[in-house]
């Protein structure tokens, strides 16, 4: 079974007990607009409501998993009813943008982190900024050897992407280096510090991820759900959710500053700086 959602995402049932959600915008390097984020949310909801699905795999078509937010799109443009109970996000100024980010970024990421069904991100190529916001809410990450991870948005005049779990994923000093420099981290290093569970050759990524998903799917679904909740509650007791909220407030301070200084949400000089760094890595 394959189902397309909003022409952005494929929903597949590749093997018993496993659903596969595939980002399908390779021509844009799977850049996220509002339609894609809602499509991902709809696909996750389909999987959670299916009693036969015990594991969800999040994958992507094309050479790169995700280049992050689609800066050419209007993320405040209505694409359906809000998933979260937020104020209208078509209001002018900071009021509308705060609600939009509550909905599209922070809210959806937290919602996905707390899905009752275990999730595995299957990652290849580049994962940039907002791309991390898709994989970090997942329970496990399997990466190809060519995968790389970066959050270069300090160049935009903000503190990092909106789902700020950097310290838990990377450790404090490595998080600062990643943010301060914008440099990408390799799959090998990501595994060494515990951000990634497994690294496999690119040609084996899909098979290796499905094998892991099938192994997990043989466990009782209620036991999986309880184990996931116990770990997530441990993170919250360490202060993760409060840290996300605090960093999110700083993110909006950055936006407010950019509106005053540049007339837009980001420092426009950051776009070329990030592109220049990316060309240098290529």
């Amino acid at each position: 079974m394959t189902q397309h959602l909003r022409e952005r995402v494929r929903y597949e049932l590749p093997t018993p007990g496993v659903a596969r959600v595939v980002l399908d915008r390779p021509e844009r390097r799977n850049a996220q607009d509002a339609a894609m984020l809602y499509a991902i949310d709809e696909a996750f909801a389909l999987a959670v409501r299916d009693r036969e699905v015990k594991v969800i795999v999040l994958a992507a078509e094309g050479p790169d998993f995700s280049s992050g937010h689609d800066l050419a799109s209007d993320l405040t443009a209505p694409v359906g009813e809000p998933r979260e109970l937020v104020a209208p996000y078509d209001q002018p100024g900071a009021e509308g943008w705060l609600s939009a980010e509550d909905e599209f970024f922070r809210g959806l990421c937290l919602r996905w982190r707390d899905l009752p069904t275990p999730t595995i991100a299957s990652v290849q190529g580049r994962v940039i900024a907002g791309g991390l916001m898709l994989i970090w809410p997942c329970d496990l990450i399997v990466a190809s050897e060519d995968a790389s991870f970066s959050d270069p948005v300090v160049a935009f005049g903000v503190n990092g992407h909106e789902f700020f779990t950097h310290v838990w994923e990377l450790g404090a000093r490595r998080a600062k280096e990643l943010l301060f420099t914008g440099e990408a981290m390799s799959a090998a290093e990501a595994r060494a510090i515990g951000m990634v569970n497994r690294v496999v050759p690119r040609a084996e990524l899909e098979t290796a991820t499905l094998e892991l998903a099938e192994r997990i799917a043989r466990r009782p679904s209620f036991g999986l759900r309880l184990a996931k909740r116990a770990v997530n509650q441990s993170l919250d007791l360490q202060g993760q959710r409060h840290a996300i909220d605090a960093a999110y407030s700083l993110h909006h301070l950055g936006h407010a500053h950019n509106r005053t200084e540049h007339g837009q949400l980001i420092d426009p000089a950051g776009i070329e700086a990030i592109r220049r760094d990316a060309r240098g890595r290529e």
Side-chain angles (χ1 to χ4, degrees):
M1 168 193 167
T2 300
Q3 182 176 349
H4 286 83
L5 302 172
R6 298 179 186 259
E7 300 181 347
R8 296 286 194 274
V9 167
R10 295 199 315 271
Y11 181 78
E12 304 171 346
L13 298 172
T15 190
V18 179
R20 192 165 180 260
V21 178
V22 185
L23 312 182
D24 196 11
R25 206 183 182 204
E27 73 284 357
R28 296 285 297 171
R29 293 295 193 267
N30 296 310
Q32 307 150 29
D33 57 7
M36 173 177 275
L37 294 170
Y38 271 15
I40 295 168
D41 193 62
E42 289 164 7
F44 282 160
L46 282 174
V48 168
R49 291 171 187 150
D50 186 340
R51 294 186 179 182
E52 300 301 316
V53 172
K54 298 174 71 175
V55 181
I56 305 169
V57 172
L58 178 64
E61 194 67 59
D64 295 314
F65 181 85
S66 176
S67 60
H69 300 338
D70 186 349
L71 299 179
S73 70
D74 180 4
L75 287 169
T76 63
V79 294
E81 291 299 317
R83 303 296 194 269
E84 308 294 321
L85 294 176
V86 298
Y89 50 78
D90 58 355
Q91 296 298 309
E95 180 180 4
W97 191 253
L98 177 65
S99 292
E101 294 206 54
D102 274 339
E103 168 76 359
F104 295 117
F105 305 130
R106 176 185 167 278
L108 287 178
C109 288
L110 288 169
R111 174 184 172 99
W112 299 339
R113 193 204 77 153
D114 291 333
L115 291 175
T117 307
T119 53
I120 307 173
S122 183
V123 178
Q124 79 281 359
R126 288 174 290 189
V127 186
I128 302 173
L132 295 170
M133 295 171 60
L134 301 182
I135 67 170
W136 282 357
C138 290
D139 301 306
L140 305 178
I141 300 174
V142 179
S144 63
E145 292 172 336
D146 69 333
S148 65
F149 309 90
S150 64
D151 186 10
V153 299
V154 166
F156 290 154
V158 294
N159 51 291
H161 66 61
E162 293 90 336
F163 185 64
F164 202 93
T165 56
H166 299 62
V167 174
W168 280 266
E169 297 290 351
L170 310 173
R173 285 192 171 82
R174 190 64 182 93
K176 289 176 182 177
E177 182 181 4
L178 187 97
L179 291 165
F180 293 174
T181 66
E183 293 175 354
M185 174 187 297
S186 70
E189 183 187 353
R191 186 178 188 280
I193 66 174
M195 193 195 99
V196 163
N197 297 89
R198 301 183 182 185
V199 176
V200 299
R202 176 72 170 262
E204 299 173 15
L205 178 62
E206 182 175 345
T207 300
T209 305
L210 285 177
E211 287 177 352
L212 178 58
E214 289 169 341
R215 180 174 181 179
I216 294 169
R218 291 195 288 269
R219 301 289 185 179
S221 58
F222 193 49
L224 293 170
R225 179 177 182 178
L226 293 177
K228 173 171 180 171
R229 180 173 291 192
V231 174
N232 284 358
Q233 287 175 338
S234 298
L235 293 172
D236 288 339
L237 288 169
Q238 293 171 14
Q240 187 184 81
R241 192 171 295 245
H242 290 302
I244 291 170
D245 290 344
Y248 179 65
S249 298
L250 294 175
H251 191 91
H252 282 275
L253 174 60
H255 281 331
H257 175 76
N258 287 332
R259 282 182 184 274
T260 300
E261 292 294 310
H262 309 293
Q264 55 183 298
L265 291 169
I266 63 173
D267 182 340
I271 296 176
E272 182 52 38
I274 292 171
R275 287 175 177 166
R276 184 171 59 250
D277 289 346
R279 286 193 296 267
R281 287 193 293 270
E282 290 174 351

